[in-house]
Amino acid sequence: MTDHAVLIAGGGPTGLMLAGELALAGVDVAIVERRASQDLMGSRAGGLHSRTIEVLDQRGIADRFLSEGQVAQVAAFAGTPLDISDFPTRHPYGLGLRQNHIERILAGWVGELEVPIYRGRELTGFAQDDTGVDVELSDGQLLRAEYLVGCDGGRSLVRKAAGIEFPGWDPTMSSLIAQVELAEEPEWGIHHDALGRHAFGRVEYEIRDGEIVYADSGPVGVVVTEEHVGATTEPTLHDLSEALIAVWGTDYGVHSPTSISRFTDMARQAAAYREQRVLLAGDAAHVHNPVGGQGLNTGVQDAVNLGWKLAQVVKRISPDTLLDTYHAERHPVAARVLRNTIAQVTLFRQDDRIKPLGDIISELLNMDEPRTRFAAMMSGLDIHYELGEGHPLLGRRMPDLDLVTANGPLRVFTLLSDARPVLLNLGEPGGFDITPWVDRVQMIDAKYVGAWELPVLGAVTAPTAVLIRPDGYVGWVGDLTHPELADALTTWFGPPTAT
Ligand SMILES: Cc1cc2nc3c(=O)[nH]c(=O)nc-3n(C[C@H](O)[C@H](O)[C@H](O)COP(=O)(O)OP(=O)(O)OC[C@H]3O[C@@H](n4cnc5c(N)ncnc54)[C@H](O)[C@@H]3O)c2cc1C
């Protein structure tokens, strides 16, 4: 007997999103979270990229975030802004919204879906066998689940205890990030020197006409690069003061910190996202420098890739080999994020031979084609899972088209709000007997009259039918007479039910 089908260690953005996905699929899921409340100490992510907004839109919750944040052109590469306002998406922008708000809104959604959260307790160890995982909590409670997912951040206990390697690059730089009060006026804005990048800005800001406009008073956000790499203790006000003096010759009378934390350019990725009944997602699976604002976004999208697959496996709809596609699809995505953060951090170095390289990259990014490609990468809109040869839509995100159906107009994304797959037939109605999958897959006959346009690729031929997975990626393209349709349905959504 298990207490829950799935236990998630960690209720940060990744764990919350995964819990929501599993709950939508009707899976008994619970979260174990060390923090007593959802409150977040310190500065973390500052917003969402376009693809993450789309993913939330697929579940019908994007407006909760959009109504609290400020839309803006947020994509950039090594400091060069990348405008996506001409991209073929309903959300050709990013969203400025701090992580504490993102987590609060996600936690509200997960609460509506009635996911239990064991709060104020840590997962301290586990043991897995052929049928499940025994999990131990810090208060001595024991829980058994069929699967355990480590969404427990960069220092993941789940990853370490599962014996999963975490290879990568050691840090070459170290920065402190803090929210403080200053007795004296600092030099506002972003500055570069031989040590690296430093910045002062008011914590409170708003975005006016796409520009960040900081408040005139209130607490100050500080980022300062440290002289030395490799500190092993938690940073203190004294460390912050010393780092400021090393750069500015003064600490500006820094006092009353509400948070001080450290980040580096360490880049590491789990060698495997799955070890039998234990899986990893989010920072537990990949860590890198915050440049480009990609960590939270990647974690939330890991969760959306894993959720429906894990749900089908615990509901015995699909064999557990479906879980291997999670690593196969998501490992390359984070590997690319690590690669681009390493490149960006290098371009920020104040080395007189790297500066011209940065200038050349910036010139390139001001040309349309490189701008389009890099903007699609940074916003997550170009993600392509390798699902073989075929129509360009295969393995790519399904656009949120305005369809016409017998029952009136319909947006594609609204079809995904319950995280159920869709066989969308845009050709002649009928022609395929969906009955053996009808308990799992919705079949919709619709018409679409507009152009088919994908980010970067531009116009593509209109498909006759597409099989859309619950994560919004296209798993098959063809017409309903193709015999491979039954294979595709079986691959993604399990064997046909005998009728
Ligand atoms: C300065 C900075 C700026 C950033 N800016 C951006 C940005 O603009 N955009 C972006 O996308 N990302 C950004 N990031 C990265 C982003 O903050 C992380 O990628 C994101 O928080 C990862 O979410 P997660 O849920 O995977 O992990 P976490 O947010 O680390 O959550 C892990 C959770 O697990 C809990 N936990 C840990 N161990 C245990 C345990 N043993 N038992 C129970 N619970 C446990 C923790 O309390 C925590 O709630 C930034 C990060 C930093 C440091």
Side-chain angles (χ1 to χ4, degrees), residues 166-282:
F166 202 41
W169 290 259
D170 287 331
T172 62
M173 54 75 69
S174 174
S175 291
L176 297 178
I177 181 164
Q179 290 187 7
V180 295
E181 305 274 345
L182 298 179
E184 298 155 30
E185 186 94 357
E187 294 193 36
W188 300 108
I190 299 174
H191 309 274
H192 300 259
D193 69 7
L195 266 186
R197 281 170 31 112
H198 320 286
F200 293 102
R202 294 277 180 208
V203 171
E204 299 303 329
Y205 68 90
E206 52 184 270
I207 295 171
R208 281 188 221 141
D209 299 328
E211 298 285 326
I212 294 180
V213 180
Y214 287 98
D216 294 330
S217 59
V220 176
V222 180
V223 177
V224 58
T225 306
E226 296 181 288
E227 272 186 297
H228 303 289
V229 180
T232 50
T233 51
E234 288 301 313
T236 61
L237 183 60
H238 180 70
D239 296 332
L240 180 63
S241 164
E242 279 195 337
L244 287 171
I245 290 168
V247 175
W248 303 102
T250 168
D251 68 3
Y252 297 103
V254 64
H255 64 98
S256 311
T258 49
S259 71
I260 307 176
S261 50
R262 181 175 277 120
F263 66 88
T264 72
D265 63 343
M266 180 170 73
R268 294 187 176 277
Q269 188 176 17
Y273 280 21
R274 175 184 177 204
E275 173 56 41
Q276 299 171 55
R277 292 181 167 272
V278 176
L279 295 122
L280 300 176

Side-chain angles (χ1 to χ4, degrees), residues 476-498:
W476 172 88
V477 185
D479 76 53
L480 297 187
T481 59
H482 281 187
E484 318 91 75
L485 174 54
D487 297 340
L489 283 161
T490 305
T491 299
W492 295 121
F493 310 117
T497 310

Side-chain angles (χ1 to χ4, degrees), residues 9-15 32-35 38 40 43-49 99 103 121-124 151-154 156-157 177 261-263 281-284 288 290 292-299:
T14 307
V32 180
E33 168 53 51
R34 171 193 288 158
R35 287 179 282 161
Q38 203 63 48
L40 188 65
S43 310
R44 300 284 296 265
L48 301 174
H49 281 295
Q99 183 161 337
E103 291 196 14
R121 274 167 278 184
E122 278 181 39
L123 182 145
T124 51
C151 299
D152 49 345
S156 172
L157 180 142
I177 181 164
S261 50
R262 181 175 277 120
F263 66 88
D283 276 17
H288 49 78
Q294 303 166 89
L296 180 151
N297 286 270
T298 309

